Amino acid sequence: MFNDVIINMLELIETRITQIRDKALGLLNDANNFMENIIEVTPNRGFIKFIAVDSGFTEIVYLGFRIAVINIAMLMNTNGKGHILTRFEALLGISSEELERIALDMEVKYALEASRIFPIDVVLLDGALIGRNYVGKFNVPVLAHIKDVKSNRYSQGIIDTEFKNYINKALQIMEEPLIMHIIMETYRDRVKNDNALMTKPYVVGKIGDKEVYGFYVQYLPAALPIYTEYIGDPGMIQHVISRIAPLSIMPRLGYPAPLYVVDRFAKVNMDFRSMVRLIMEKLGGEVLSELRGMYLKIGLNEYVKNK
């Protein structure tokens, strides 16, 4: 009986995989019809002034009390020499659900402060623009790369009916980045070059009175395209991508190196967590223990009275 169930399940999976393969081959053949949605961008190796920012965060719990620590890391390159700045924030009374949102807003807030002091050409962020505070206050282009696509904003923003129908059909069996990968690699096979590629930008939302443009960018051949959001002059999108392209070769394949660097510096490691916990124990241990003991004592007294 059990073996029959396993055999039936494997046969079903095999059938589904065959169906997916056939549909994928059909989509691959149809990708030739959408080459006009791919834009070729020649890398511009001129000097660019930028700020790249990312954050890391953690929660430390001691005797039932919780403290949240956020680390903001910024890489500033305004004179040809990159400088790393880190900034820690310790917060009380913050829920786990709020922590990530607050960290994302802090990234933008500190980058905005720096952009008002130092002349820069672009701000680089990790993670979506939509949903963050302060983003609409920049006077320079802001480019955000999203490695993990959680919502298909790009396909929702497409206004070309035929292209939109193709994407919606493809979304039934594969994720949005893979669809763009198929179209881009089909384009590369036709034109035979290694320049950066991007899909035609579409408006995917608004922040205040500013429109947010979404598109996919593939800095290197064969790399999975990265969903990207942009706020600023729409006529400057290709120029900004051309300036970032030379920075997107190493160390992570097809991903802007400045964002890779700040990601490393922003992580809150176990040594830091241990240090914060030690401080809590040394400076607040007696008070926290007394409060916890008082709470337990009151709770026990109330329990006895009720019985």
Side-chain angles (χ1 to χ4, degrees), residues 37 68-69 151 186 277:
N37 293 282
V69 178
S151 61
T186 301
R277 183 180 174 85

Side-chain angles (χ1 to χ4, degrees), residues 39-45 48 122-125 143-147 181 184-185 188 193-199 215-230 237-250 252-259:
I39 300 171
E40 189 175 333
V41 182
T42 303
N44 181 341
R45 301 187 182 281
I48 181 171
V122 64
V123 173
L124 298 175
L125 298 178
L143 194 65
H145 293 72
I146 301 95
K147 298 185 292 296
H181 181 77
M184 287 178 171
E185 289 303 306
R188 287 193 187 278
N193 72 49
D194 294 338
N195 285 336
L197 300 179
M198 59 179 288
T199 58
F215 53 93
Y216 277 83
V217 60
Q218 186 191 51
Y219 291 111
L220 294 176
L224 192 67
I226 305 169
Y227 174 60
T228 306
E229 290 183 349
Y230 171 94
I237 294 177
Q238 292 184 45
H239 175 71
V240 171
I241 292 299
S242 72
R243 304 293 299 278
I244 300 302
L247 304 177
S248 305
I249 298 176
M250 292 296 289
R252 180 179 293 176
L253 186 65
Y255 186 72
L259 289 176

Side-chain angles (χ1 to χ4, degrees), residues 35 45 74 91 101 125 131-132 137 180 183 202 212-213 243 266 281 285 290:
M35 295 299 95
R45 301 187 182 281
M74 284 197 304
L91 304 173
R101 179 187 59 79
L125 298 178
R132 300 200 202 203
K137 297 183 179 181
M180 304 308 159
I183 299 173
Y202 287 99
V212 178
Y213 291 85
R243 304 293 299 278
E281 292 175 355
E290 184 178 342

Side-chain angles (χ1 to χ4, degrees), residues 105 108 125 127-138 142 144 153 203-213 229-232:
D105 284 344
V108 181
L125 298 178
L129 292 177
I130 296 175
R132 300 200 202 203
N133 292 317
Y134 309 108
V135 173
K137 297 183 179 181
F138 283 99
V142 181
R153 285 190 184 136
V203 176
V204 296
K206 294 190 73 174
I207 296 178
D209 60 348
K210 295 184 178 181
E211 293 179 322
V212 178
Y213 291 85
E229 290 183 349
Y230 171 94
I231 193 168

